Amino acid sequence: MKQHTVIDSPYGPLTLVADDGVLCGLYMVGQRHRPPEETFGERDDTPFGEVTHQLKAYFEGELKEFTLELRMSGTPFQRSVWDQLRRIPYGETRSYGELAEALGNAGASRAVGLANGKNPIGIIVPCHRVVGANGSLTGYGGGLDRKQRLLDFESGTALF
């Protein structure tokens, strides 16, 4: 059974979605590939206490690694990309090509980019930490402005 809540963040409202109490979605307003609202289930804040606590600590600069149970639905390849995203340390970036190499397929950078764009749990599964081969900002489902702000925040150069 799905439930959802909406919390405030420095990046605008975030919609959190749980399936049987396990986080399965974190979506920003206007996010590309955001599922329809009617798929989020009833509004209920109950299953989101720990998620909200960890996000608050992250936004306050006190948490660098999330320790949450996640339920991510996707193809085996997408799940392998999302697993690689969780291995990128706070404050660091990786290129799509580096992720493809880590998966054992150096030619799969475009497929990595597509899987990255479908990440259902932004911020916690840090797809914002993936950049172009030359370090440039490339697509981000939440918008390039948010991506830059998240990277600046993690590098300590944010101006909140």
Side-chain angles (χ1 to χ4, degrees):
M1 180 166 110
K2 285 194 176 177
Q3 300 158 309
H4 80 280
T5 192
V6 179
I7 65 169
D8 290 327
S9 85
Y11 305 95
L14 301 176
T15 300
L16 306 175
V17 182
D19 186 7
D20 291 327
V22 179
L23 187 68
C24 65
L26 184 157
Y27 303 103
M28 299 175 183
V29 172
Q31 180 174 331
R32 199 171 353 139
H33 304 298
R34 179 184 169 116
E37 300 284 329
E38 57 269 16
T39 66
F40 295 161
E42 295 295 319
R43 173 120 188 207
D44 183 354
D45 298 343
T46 307
F48 301 101
E50 184 60 22
V51 176
T52 301
H53 171 75
Q54 287 192 34
L55 283 167
K56 183 176 187 266
Y58 169 80
F59 294 133
E60 291 175 353
E62 299 169 359
L63 180 76
K64 307 241 185 294
E65 186 174 332
F66 293 94
T67 56
L68 297 164
E69 182 181 359
L70 306 176
R71 182 171 293 151
M72 301 181 74
S73 296
T75 67
F77 180 78
Q78 288 172 327
R79 288 194 310 271
S80 69
V81 170
W82 300 334
D83 182 56
Q84 287 298 315
L85 295 176
R86 295 186 79 191
R87 296 174 190 209
I88 304 171
Y90 180 95
E92 295 184 21
T93 59
R94 297 290 184 273
S95 71
Y96 297 98
E98 288 172 319
L99 289 178
E101 285 180 29
L103 292 168
N105 188 348
S109 59
R110 184 167 291 195
V112 165
L114 292 171
N116 190 51
K118 298 234 175 158
N119 172 19
I121 306 178
I123 299 175
I124 293 170
V125 177
C127 51
H128 60 277
R129 295 180 188 157
V130 183
V131 296
N134 63 1
S136 64
L137 290 189
T138 57
Y140 181 61
L144 290 180
D145 178 61
R146 281 190 189 122
K147 182 174 187 168
Q148 184 66 63
R149 289 179 55 215
L150 283 161
L151 292 173
D152 289 348
F153 169 70
E154 290 187 2
S155 71
T157 61
L159 300 174
F160 282 131

